[in-house]
Structures are given as C-alpha cells and as structure tokens.
Amino acid sequence: MIVDNPQQYYTAASGTVHTETYVNAGNLLYGFVPESRNTTATMTYDGVSGTLVGTAQNGAGQPRIWVYRWVYPPIGSHTLESTYSSAMTARVMRAFAFIGADTGTPDGTVVTKTGTSINKSLDVTTTKAGSYIVDCLSDTGNVLAAASGQTMLGSNSANRICSYRSAPTAGAYTNNWTGTSGANNAYAGLIFEVFAGDRHAQQYYRQQQAAL
C-alpha cells in the first residue's frame, strides 16, 4: 500500500463552501477539515458525500476537526468540496488517497484527544503490520511541526494540519507535534490506522496510477 497525491488546500476568502480539484488514483480517499473554531463541516468528492471517519472538538468555539473517506472513489480529476454550517475565513482542506488499501475494513479505531498545551502528542495502537497511521490536528494559532517520520500536510496554514506515516509492525505508536511559536493553546486531534489490502488490490491500483 502506498500514499497517493497528498494535497493541502487553503483559501482566505470568506464563505460557507470550499471547492478544489483533486486527482485520484487510489481505491481509498481521505478528506480532512481542521478548523480553529466551532462550526460543522461536510465533504463531497465528485458530488458523493464522504463517510465520516471521526470528529473531535475542544469545547464551544474552540478547534474542531472532521475526517471523511470514500471507498473506490472515481479515478481521475474531480471536485473535492467542503460545506460549513456558517461562513468561515481562511478555510482549510487536506486530502490524500491510498493505493492498494483494504476497502472492506479501511480503518481501525479512531482515537481522539483534546487539551491545552504547546506541544501535542497523539497515541494509537495498530493491530496489523504494514498499515499506515493517519492523524489530524487543529490548534487555535500555534504553528506546528511534525516529528521525524511523519509526513505533514499544513505548510499553508500550519496550525491546522494532518500527517501520515507507515507502521511496518503492529504495536503502540505516538505522533508528536512541536508548537514552534510557543503558544499554550487549545487543540483537538484524532489518530487512526489504515489497513493494507491484498496483493491483487495493490497491483491493480498501481496500474491505475501509472495510467494517469
């Protein structure tokens, strides 16, 4: 299983809808909406609503995040869109797909965490070898930097980020984030495991990627 086309989207314009184009070659797509205040967000890809993987919120008016997924999303270039319950400025989306993922049981238990701190950590125990660990984190303003081994999406709005990393063996893992601006801020985060599919799924979707 491999990660395909990680993207980070940002717009400073105020509104309730954020629309971008995502080019997919995977059999499993994740979309992330990390926000710095309380509002509700839904997501669609090619007009199809995503399945909610998890959400976390640090109290009213505080950071909140949503993660959605699509199993067997259409291959190629399509619209990725988030819709908010109230107008937002500086809207953020993150997205990436997996090639060769398990589509029957795509992901494991979602672990959420909220608190107030400069540095953050998210813990998860994986159950299968060869999986990936995915997280998403929103802070009210502290610029966050990922620890070694985590691939971060969030350079265009670094207090609202997500990351992925491989987990070659099953067991306990911790994703760490350093608050580089030193602000002791409220945050909300979640972390979960993504399972690899069998070799036939992995071979087929690698061929799909090569054809794009």
Side-chain angles (χ1 to χ4, degrees), residues 107-127:
D107 36 62
T109 301
V110 175
V111 179
T112 63
K113 187 176 181 180
T114 60
T116 302
S117 65
I118 298 173
N119 302 321
K120 284 78 174 169
S121 63
L122 298 171
D123 302 309
V124 67
T125 299
T126 62
T127 58

Side-chain angles (χ1 to χ4, degrees), residues 140-192:
T140 50
N142 203 357
V143 174
L144 301 170
S148 175
Q150 297 167 224
T151 299
M152 171 178 149
L153 298 179
S155 61
N156 55 7
S157 186
N159 65 313
R160 292 172 286 173
I161 46 77
C162 64
S163 76
Y164 57 86
R165 64 184 289 193
S166 63
T169 60
Y173 290 84
T174 299
N175 280 7
N176 291 302
W177 298 89
T178 300
T180 60
S181 58
N184 192 32
N185 288 343
Y187 71 92
L190 61 76
I191 188 169
F192 59 95

Side-chain angles (χ1 to χ4, degrees), residues 72-95:
Y72 293 119
I75 300 296
S77 179
H78 301 279
T79 297
L80 179 68
E81 188 171 88
S82 60
T83 302
Y84 298 91
S85 58
S86 58
M88 291 285 296
T89 57
R91 288 163 290 159
V92 167
M93 287 194 298
R94 318 296 185 199

Side-chain angles (χ1 to χ4, degrees), residues 29-34 43 51-54 66-70 80 93-97 136 162 192:
L29 172 63
Y30 286 93
F32 306 82
V33 184
M43 296 188 78
T51 298
L52 182 65
V53 175
W66 302 261
V67 180
Y68 292 91
R69 64 166 153 80
W70 295 261
L80 179 68
M93 287 194 298
R94 318 296 185 199
F96 51 83
C136 188
C162 64
F192 59 95

